[in-house]
Amino acid sequence: MTPPRIAVQRLPHGADLPLPAYETAGAAGLDLRAAEAVTVPPGERCLMPTGLAMAIPEGFEGQVRPRSGLAVKHGLTVLNAPGTIDCDYRGEIKVPLINLGHAPVAIARGERIAQLVIAPVVQAVLAEAASLPATARGTGGFGSSGRS
């Protein structure tokens, strides 16, 4: 598959920051960076600007996901993970962060704060039905399949 080309606009407050990049050859996500320094107290959240806007092509979305190291070491994660950036959005990419840890987390300007995964999107066509076809699982939901 040919990778999509994505136009990226650096906003004035992010002009000197590196563009998102895949940090390793096998990385699925581009690293997003903080465009300002902030300290997130325990239990608090912030909407972190990245200083970037993008034109994600039709048929794709951007999925904003946590960075595992920040989550495990500090309890800092993306609040609505994965967040979605739709192909028709042209505003600044902002990352909603929450500190689930027990200590304040200082984020330096330019620090990698989240990952952006570009993924294909298929829009479904819904068809209302009076009933649904039966399955072995049926209506069993949360925890119905057990733990082992």
Side-chain angles (χ1 to χ4, degrees):
M1 174 182 358
T2 303
R5 294 190 57 83
I6 299 176
V8 180
Q9 179 184 23
R10 291 181 199 255
L11 302 175
H13 58 284
D16 61 329
L17 295 174
L19 288 178
Y22 297 102
E23 294 295 319
T24 66
L30 297 148
D31 284 335
L32 296 172
R33 295 177 183 271
E36 65 183 41
V38 69
T39 297
V40 185
E44 296 294 320
R45 56 192 177 266
C46 72
L47 188 57
M48 180 62 70
T50 64
L52 300 171
M54 296 182 180
I56 296 172
E58 189 172 331
F60 292 89
E61 68 163 326
Q63 298 176 356
V64 181
R65 300 179 182 186
R67 293 196 66 235
S68 58
L70 288 175
V72 171
K73 294 175 185 172
H74 304 290
L76 192 70
T77 191
V78 175
L79 189 57
N80 63 331
T84 294
I85 303 168
D86 294 311
C87 68
D88 57 353
Y89 177 68
R90 293 297 182 266
E92 180 175 10
I93 306 297
K94 294 184 180 180
V95 180
L97 296 173
I98 187 166
N99 181 355
L100 300 176
H102 302 290
V105 177
I107 301 168
R109 185 174 186 281
E111 184 173 346
R112 296 178 293 154
I113 54 164
Q115 298 182 76
L116 177 63
V117 174
I118 304 300
V121 170
V122 176
Q123 289 188 331
V125 176
L126 300 183
E128 192 168 350
S131 63
L132 301 176
T135 66
R137 181 177 179 176
T139 59
F142 301 95
S144 66
S145 62
R147 291 183 64 180
S148 51

